[in-house]
Amino acid sequence: MFLSGLQRAVVVLQDHRAATFALSALVVVSDLSAAFLNQGAFRRHFHLVLSVLLLSGPALSIWVSKYSVFANNNHYLYRTFLSSAWGWTCILTGSFIFLLSFSLRRSVFLSLRHLSRLAAASAVWLALRWLLTSLEDASGSCFEPLGTTLKACVEAASPGQGSRLLLRDEESKTTCLRAGFQWRGCEVSQEALLLCLCCLLLVEETAMFGQCVRSTGTPLRLLFLLCVCLLGLWFFLLFCLLAHFPQFPSQLIGGALGCLAWRVLYLGWFRFEPSWCCPGGPTSGLLVATEKKGEVKNGNREMFF
């Protein structure tokens, strides 16, 4: 009886130590991640990192192995995350924005105003996707490969001309590819646009966490780390997309449109003062800066929450 009770006490103590270690690791990792994302140099130059990655797409395709598991377009990561990247970004980022703003100011209206930035970004993404889809449908054509017999006859009649295709009218790109045919026309990579926009949005929305990380609890730290992991996942998927499925300059144009959308939103519209037509920036109404006399060091203001 005594031994069994002692064993249960040891198990409880081990669980307690494991929980303490996990919480300590959570605090350390979240503090380091928040400090890194809060660096002004990182936020100012992150779009340049994406630009270099997009420009080096053809070189990446030579460097990687074609036998890699990520060279399969039916990979689990592509099927699960790439097609629904915007949904994952909105769910995690929206939860983080709402909890952070509400924990700092206890105002539902202020939290909803900050969430409206995601609504504006979603409207921009949907508009760009519709515009690019319409452009592809209007400028392209659907072709059906010739049958084996007909192909042999054509090659016998005109040797050296290669295989030909039969044009099918009144086909959109989606229905054409779904039927197993080939689509030729102007194309801009919507995947590159989406991943670049998601990466830039996550950097902007999570950067301010470094200024208030000390006053947050465990749930918010955990949600912040999930957003950081999502940022790393989108960057990795963009790298895999450029390396294993190169479409230059389609991917370059798509990434440029994503960067342009970010610049219009976060460096343009959201820089204005909050009003009925502008949700404001990620820090608007959340951080109260006060400067005490004689306590200003290195030109930095002390922040209170």
Side-chain angles (χ1 to χ4, degrees):
M1 183 68 67
F2 175 78
L3 291 178
S4 61
L6 184 59
Q7 289 176 352
R8 286 196 298 268
V10 170
V11 170
V12 172
L13 183 60
Q14 289 177 349
D15 292 341
H16 178 70
R17 288 180 177 177
T20 303
F21 176 78
L23 291 176
S24 301
L26 176 65
V27 171
V28 172
V29 175
S30 59
D31 285 347
L32 292 177
S33 302
F36 180 74
L37 290 176
N38 192 42
Q39 292 293 325
F42 175 77
R43 299 200 308 273
R44 288 193 301 269
H45 299 100
F46 182 70
H47 69 285
L48 297 179
V49 176
L50 294 179
S51 301
V52 171
L53 184 64
L54 290 167
L55 288 172
S56 59
L60 293 176
S61 61
I62 301 175
W63 178 69
V64 298
S65 172
K66 63 179 181 179
Y67 300 106
S68 171
V69 294
F70 299 106
N72 180 13
N73 57 6
N74 199 33
H75 191 272
Y76 174 79
L77 288 179
Y78 303 142
R79 290 186 288 104
T80 306
F81 294 101
L82 187 58
S83 59
S84 56
W86 190 253
W88 285 103
T89 303
C90 287
I91 291 174
L92 288 182
T93 310
S95 302
F96 173 76
I97 292 173
F98 184 84
L99 288 180
L100 179 61
S101 57
F102 187 77
S103 65
L104 291 178
R105 288 291 169 262
R106 304 293 178 180
S107 172
V108 177
F109 175 77
L110 182 62
S111 300
L112 293 177
R113 194 193 78 193
H114 281 279
L115 280 179
S116 64
R117 286 195 304 274
L118 283 183
S122 299
V124 171
W125 156 241
L126 293 176
L128 287 174
R129 187 176 67 173
W130 175 83
L131 181 63
L132 294 179
T133 302
S134 301
L135 177 63
E136 291 173 0
D137 292 341
S139 62
S141 301
C142 185
F143 294 87
E144 179 181 2
L146 295 175
T148 305
T149 306
L150 186 57
K151 179 180 177 181
C153 295
V154 171
E155 290 181 351
S158 55
Q161 296 296 323
S163 61
R164 298 184 180 183
L165 301 172
L166 296 177
L167 176 64
R168 298 175 61 90
D169 296 329
E170 300 180 359
E171 293 277 2
S172 65
K173 180 182 178 180
T174 303
T175 57
C176 176
L177 296 179
R178 187 180 296 121
F181 302 139
Q182 299 178 9
W183 183 266
R184 294 180 181 177
C186 179
E187 183 178 0
V188 176
S189 176
Q190 297 186 17
E191 292 83 4
L193 188 158
L194 176 59
L195 291 176
C196 288
L197 182 58
C198 288
C199 287
L200 292 167
L201 184 145
L202 281 167
V203 169
E204 291 290 342
E205 296 294 346
T206 57
M208 67 159 294
F209 189 71
Q211 304 179 45
C212 54
V213 65
R214 297 297 180 183
S215 59
T216 57
T218 301
L220 197 52
R221 286 177 179 271
L222 183 60
L223 192 55
F224 167 73
L225 286 183
L226 288 177
C227 291
V228 173
C229 293
L230 193 65
L231 171 62
L233 177 61
W234 295 156
F235 191 85
F236 176 73
L237 286 182
L238 180 62
F239 174 84
C240 292
L241 193 70
L242 296 171
H244 296 290
F245 311 101
Q247 296 178 1
F248 195 86
S250 172
Q251 294 169 338
L252 178 62
I253 299 175
L257 287 176
C259 293
L260 178 62
W262 160 77
R263 184 172 291 274
V264 170
L265 291 174
Y266 284 91
L267 300 186
W269 184 18
F270 297 160
R271 289 290 182 91
F272 293 102
E273 291 294 328
S275 62
W276 65 270
C277 61
C278 178
T283 60
S284 61
L286 297 181
L287 303 181
V288 180
T290 60
E291 183 174 337
K292 292 185 178 182
K293 294 182 179 180
E295 293 187 6
V296 179
K297 296 180 180 180
N298 299 326
N300 296 322
R301 292 181 175 179
E302 186 177 353
M303 310 301 291
F304 294 88
F305 304 95

